[in-house]
Amino acid sequence: LTFSEGLPDYVCKEIIARSVSTSRPADWQAQDVVTTDIVYEKGRERYQNVAVNNRPTGKQVEELGGAWSTGEFASTLLDLLSPATDARFEFRRQSVISGVQTRVYDFEVEQAHSHWHVQTESQSINPAYRGSMWLDPESGRILRIEMQARSLPKDFPFDTVESAVEYARVRIGPGEFLLPSHAESLSCQRGTPNCSLNVIDFRNYHKYDADSTIEFSASKP
């Protein structure tokens, strides 16, 4: 609660390098680079100014095709720790991440309480999921979250959906906040070796207000 209440409204650039593989083991081939501006306002995030290989599309992220898992930004963390999600946590081990001695907790979330939105071209679902989180006991902050969807319906096009998010301290105005810096999202078509991998970086954090004009220089793939 302290974390969520202390976050300002802000905007950043999300850069998504998309790759595909049709073999096992995976042999990733670059597909394209998608960029979008993420606005985090009053506890919610929205995506705008979507471009593919630096070309504006006029589309929403969900309209580009392929598999998408939204919420890698801030809502994943806030939702996981919300009482409404009713996640079950269990301490597993200690681990060092980014030079910090952390405590690793495994967790599970039932489908009835899931708000993790996974979408394909034809269907969308909020799946049950399990995963692990790396907690800095000194600050009480989360430095990494890994999630894997489970019990996906047999008629859902994908049988594997996984996500990982790393957090780093970011300065916005006079304050410093722990925010997403890197993420990866994996999905595989049911019963095939065909998989998609999204490698995501978050850059150029800025404070946002209702009168802000969002302008970013084009990012090179």
Side-chain angles (χ1 to χ4, degrees):
L1 290 175
T2 301
F3 169 81
S4 62
E5 291 172 357
L7 288 178
D9 293 341
Y10 48 82
V11 61
C12 82
K13 174 70 74 176
E14 181 182 39
I15 303 170
I16 310 168
R18 302 199 297 179
S19 301
V20 296
S21 175
T22 58
S23 63
R24 290 176 180 161
D27 180 21
W28 297 110
Q29 304 295 319
Q31 182 181 26
D32 55 28
V33 175
V34 178
T35 58
T36 179
D37 301 331
I38 303 179
V39 177
Y40 182 84
E41 184 179 17
K42 296 180 174 58
R44 295 189 176 186
E45 61 203 50
R46 67 178 186 272
Y47 300 74
Q48 57 191 44
N49 301 330
V50 178
V52 177
N53 295 332
N54 291 328
R55 297 180 179 179
T57 66
K59 298 180 179 181
Q60 297 297 315
V61 169
E62 296 85 354
E63 298 174 328
L64 296 181
W68 293 95
S69 173
T70 60
E72 288 89 356
F73 194 49
S75 60
T76 294
L77 175 57
L78 300 181
D79 186 67
L80 177 61
L81 300 179
S82 168
T85 303
D86 195 27
R88 297 190 300 272
F89 296 92
E90 181 177 355
F91 172 71
R92 283 299 182 189
R93 66 186 188 278
Q94 295 194 22
S95 177
V96 176
I97 181 171
S98 300
V100 178
Q101 182 71 42
T102 65
R103 295 172 63 87
V104 182
Y105 289 83
D106 291 347
F107 59 82
E108 289 195 18
V109 175
E110 298 298 330
Q111 194 277 329
H113 304 290
S114 172
H115 306 107
W116 182 20
H117 187 68
V118 178
Q119 181 166 331
T120 71
E121 296 181 38
S122 60
Q123 296 186 44
S124 63
I125 189 174
N126 290 1
Y129 59 94
R130 63 167 59 95
S132 301
M133 70 177 190
W134 282 252
L135 170 70
D136 177 2
E138 295 294 327
S139 65
R141 297 295 187 247
I142 309 302
L143 301 183
R144 180 179 173 86
I145 296 177
E146 294 181 355
M147 300 164 49
Q148 304 91 36
R150 60 184 184 86
S151 302
L152 290 167
K154 292 183 178 180
D155 61 347
F156 193 69
F158 294 91
D159 55 18
T160 299
V161 179
E162 300 178 359
S163 177
V165 186
E166 296 178 357
Y167 298 83
R169 294 194 175 278
V170 176
R171 180 163 294 279
I172 301 178
E176 191 176 64
F177 305 90
L178 195 68
L179 295 170
S181 60
H182 181 81
E184 295 187 7
S185 179
L186 171 71
S187 59
C188 297
Q189 293 181 13
R190 183 173 296 278
T192 77
N194 300 333
C195 297
S196 299
L197 175 66
N198 294 349
V199 178
I200 307 165
D201 288 296
F202 304 92
R203 302 175 184 172
N204 300 335
Y205 281 91
H206 296 285
K207 189 173 181 180
Y208 174 81
D209 59 54
D211 297 324
S212 294
T213 299
I214 304 172
E215 295 181 356
F216 291 108
S217 58
S219 299
K220 296 182 180 180

